[in-house]
Amino acid sequence: MLTLPPLSLYIHIPWCVRKCPYCDFNSHAQQGELPQQQYVDALLADLTADLPYVQQRSLHSIFIGGGTPSLFDASQIARLLQGVRQRIPFSDDIEITMEANPGTLEHDDFAAYRKAGVTRVSMGVQSFATDKLNILGRIHGSDEAKKAAKALASAGYQSFNLDLMHGLPGQDLQQALSDIETAAALNPPHLSWYQLTIEPNTLFHSRPPQLPDDEALWQIYRSGQQRLAELGYRQYEISAYAKPGFECRHNRNYWEFGDYLGIGCGAHGKITLLPQQQLFRTVKVKHPKGYLAGNYLYEVNDIATDDLPLEYLMNRLRLMVPIPKAEFESRTGLAASLLDEGMQRGIDKGLVITHPDSWELTEKGHFFVNELLGEFC
């Protein structure tokens, strides 16, 4: 039976100092003074329009992403979070994450954002190698990143994350592992470590850099995965590693097919509506000009019943833990037996192990997720 899952909130702030050549997110280079107060007002109006989707739930987590949210003053972040809380109750242990870059803390320090209500910071370091930072178009240097991470550690946050990329242009195994060692020495409770991919509509797509070959990428990934485990970081998602108790609850809610409201330019949401037994996705207007004019909702798309098994698995298979059959039923409203044939084909290929109450990917299965997903298309 379909039940209401935990509810999260994603807030998108679309401005950056400049657009990175690999970035395909909805971000816009800052030109002049940002309309901070006007944009926060628009975010709260957007949220007000989405309140029927809350259905008496409290917020499990909030993620303020971008773009570069740390371009906004701490006072505006505080006003934003206060406005959210006035509209939707917070759970007692709510996780509130804000993305930041080492080179964009012009307005306030990390302590000011913590006072504003942020409980967790995700900082986009990407690399500690100067030549790699230059290739990636980052506006910070290695020393800046180390200084910012140390400031995070002393600012009283419940947790913080450092973002690292691997498979960078010209990167070898030693360089990739050096980034891991440098990051781990700063003792972040959480590390995101993900491979650079070339996405459409980016500068790298039109002018592709020379990336490591597949064999080198595989060696980097396996060696890095092993080293992170030795350093005490447990891999709980394809590109996320955490010390015990410091997993990102907001991202886990995405992968577990939970609900989330999305407000801000181009933000996406996923909603379960009861008693209608309906699941749908929302998309907000992408460009700041239209959004600030008061045009928030771009489209609403129902998730067709026939598409639900694949939609669920595309999210859930990112996690490194077994899939409870009861979770599939409560998040989709469908019988777990609908997955039996596809899972059996996965078992036959050595991708899946079945248990009475769950399915579990094998080690091979974690590396061939797309092959397993193909059994449900």
Side-chain angles (χ1 to χ4, degrees), residues 315-377:
N315 288 274
R316 194 55 172 76
L317 291 179
R318 290 186 63 97
L319 293 173
M320 311 297 284
V321 294
I323 303 170
K325 295 179 182 180
E327 180 188 275
F328 172 79
E329 293 184 340
S330 67
R331 299 294 161 90
T332 65
L334 303 175
S337 58
L338 286 174
L339 298 184
D340 284 347
E341 287 187 16
M343 288 297 182
Q344 185 58 54
R345 290 191 291 269
I347 291 168
D348 294 341
K349 293 179 178 181
L351 305 176
V352 180
I353 300 169
T354 187
H355 305 290
D357 299 320
S358 65
W359 298 284
E360 182 177 3
L361 292 189
T362 62
E363 183 178 12
K364 178 183 176 182
H366 285 298
F367 292 116
F368 293 94
V369 166
N370 287 340
E371 184 173 346
L372 180 59
L373 287 173
E375 302 296 344
F376 299 91
C377 291

Side-chain angles (χ1 to χ4, degrees), residues 92-284:
D92 292 339
D93 61 346
I94 189 171
E95 174 192 88
I96 303 176
T97 302
M98 185 185 79
E99 290 184 331
N101 286 333
T104 54
L105 289 170
E106 296 96 342
H107 300 295
D108 298 286
D109 59 20
F110 288 121
Y113 290 109
R114 182 176 60 81
K115 187 176 180 181
V118 175
T119 67
R120 181 178 181 273
V121 169
S122 181
M123 191 165 69
V125 174
Q126 315 312 356
S127 177
F128 290 96
T130 299
D131 63 323
K132 300 298 183 282
L133 290 171
N134 290 337
I135 291 170
L136 295 173
R138 306 298 289 172
I139 64 172
H140 67 271
S142 177
D143 289 342
E144 250 183 319
K146 294 173 188 175
K147 182 179 178 181
K150 290 174 182 177
L152 270 173
S154 61
Y157 285 90
Q158 296 174 14
S159 180
F160 68 93
N161 168 65
L162 299 184
D163 265 349
L164 290 178
M165 300 175 76
H166 61 88
L168 304 178
Q171 187 180 56
D172 59 25
L173 175 61
Q174 183 179 358
Q175 292 169 333
L177 293 179
S178 176
D179 274 346
I180 288 176
E181 297 293 342
T182 302
L186 297 166
N187 200 31
H190 190 286
L191 275 170
S192 296
W193 191 62
Y194 53 96
Q195 183 180 320
L196 172 65
T197 56
I198 306 301
E199 303 292 347
N201 303 314
T202 65
L203 183 60
F204 274 179
H205 189 263
S206 60
R207 303 176 191 172
Q210 185 65 44
L211 301 182
D213 61 30
D214 288 345
E215 183 177 345
L217 289 172
W218 176 250
Q219 187 181 24
I220 287 171
Y221 177 71
R222 289 296 277 165
S223 299
Q225 188 183 45
Q226 179 180 347
R227 184 58 185 145
L228 284 163
E230 293 169 353
L231 291 164
Y233 292 93
R234 186 180 74 86
Q235 185 181 17
Y236 69 95
E237 189 262 341
I238 289 174
S239 58
Y241 301 76
K243 293 185 175 179
F246 290 99
E247 298 176 357
C248 178
R249 282 186 283 143
H250 185 87
N251 286 343
R252 279 207 63 147
N253 195 41
Y254 286 158
W255 311 137
E256 291 171 351
F257 214 52
D259 277 2
Y260 51 96
L261 304 172
I263 61 172
C265 294
H268 289 239
K270 177 257 172 182
I271 301 298
T272 303
L273 204 60
L274 297 182
Q276 293 91 332
Q277 300 284 302
Q278 181 184 10
L279 286 91
F280 58 91
R281 297 189 184 279
T282 60
V283 184
K284 300 302 172 65

Side-chain angles (χ1 to χ4, degrees), residues 45-82:
D46 186 2
L47 180 62
T48 299
D50 279 356
L51 289 181
Y53 303 149
V54 175
Q55 300 167 94
Q56 300 182 324
R57 287 175 287 183
S58 59
L59 280 176
H60 162 87
S61 63
I62 298 173
F63 196 102
I64 308 172
T68 307
S70 53
L71 287 173
F72 272 37
D73 300 343
S75 62
Q76 292 296 337
I77 298 297
R79 189 167 73 88
L80 170 61
L81 292 175
Q82 289 165 5

